[in-house]
Amino acid sequence: MITLNQLDFEKILAHAKAELPNEACGLIAGTITENGDKVIKKVYLLTNIDHSSEHFSLDPKEQLAAVKDMRSLGLKPLGNWHSHPESPSRPSDEDKRLAYDSTASYMILSLMNPDEPVLNSFKITGDTAQREELTIAP
């Protein structure tokens, strides 16, 4: 299971909407409980240097700064998030191909229906994407 608080969800959503028509992206950091559940304590809003509606690349300088910040706060890198402006909240073939860390969570926010955004989280190993239980807590 992975837990995200409502304020951080709204932060991701606002950034994704502001970046339209392009994909937005960022990192997630937090803690892992004894039973393996992930608790997101901080989300990072990074620049999609591809400026594309179909794929993203994290800005390397921003990514490094985020990882340094995580370390300074004692947080673990848990994965990343990105938006799909016009497609469902599931990994594309490219998302699967570029998912190099099978322990990471890959969160995808669909803005296909702007009035009903959908956020899902996945574990990706090779061509297989398994949906994680995601809770958005108040």
Side-chain angles (χ1 to χ4, degrees), residues 90-122:
R90 64 174 179 251
S92 66
D93 289 340
E94 181 174 290
D95 292 336
K96 291 176 188 175
R97 185 173 52 80
L98 297 174
Y100 61 90
D101 183 353
S102 62
T103 65
S105 292
Y106 295 90
M107 297 175 67
I108 300 173
L109 174 67
S110 173
L111 297 173
M112 263 177 52
N113 179 347
D115 296 328
E116 294 182 30
V118 176
L119 180 67
N120 287 307
S121 185
F122 300 89

Side-chain angles (χ1 to χ4, degrees), residues 60-114:
K61 288 181 183 175
E62 293 175 358
Q63 188 174 4
L64 180 60
V67 171
K68 284 181 178 180
D69 185 66
M70 290 175 203
R71 288 181 182 150
S72 75
L73 297 172
L75 301 175
K76 295 186 181 310
L78 300 178
N80 67 48
W81 69 270
H82 72 280
S83 62
H84 281 181
E86 299 174 355
S87 60
S89 175
R90 64 174 179 251
S92 66
D93 289 340
E94 181 174 290
D95 292 336
K96 291 176 188 175
R97 185 173 52 80
L98 297 174
Y100 61 90
D101 183 353
S102 62
T103 65
S105 292
Y106 295 90
M107 297 175 67
I108 300 173
L109 174 67
S110 173
L111 297 173
M112 263 177 52
N113 179 347

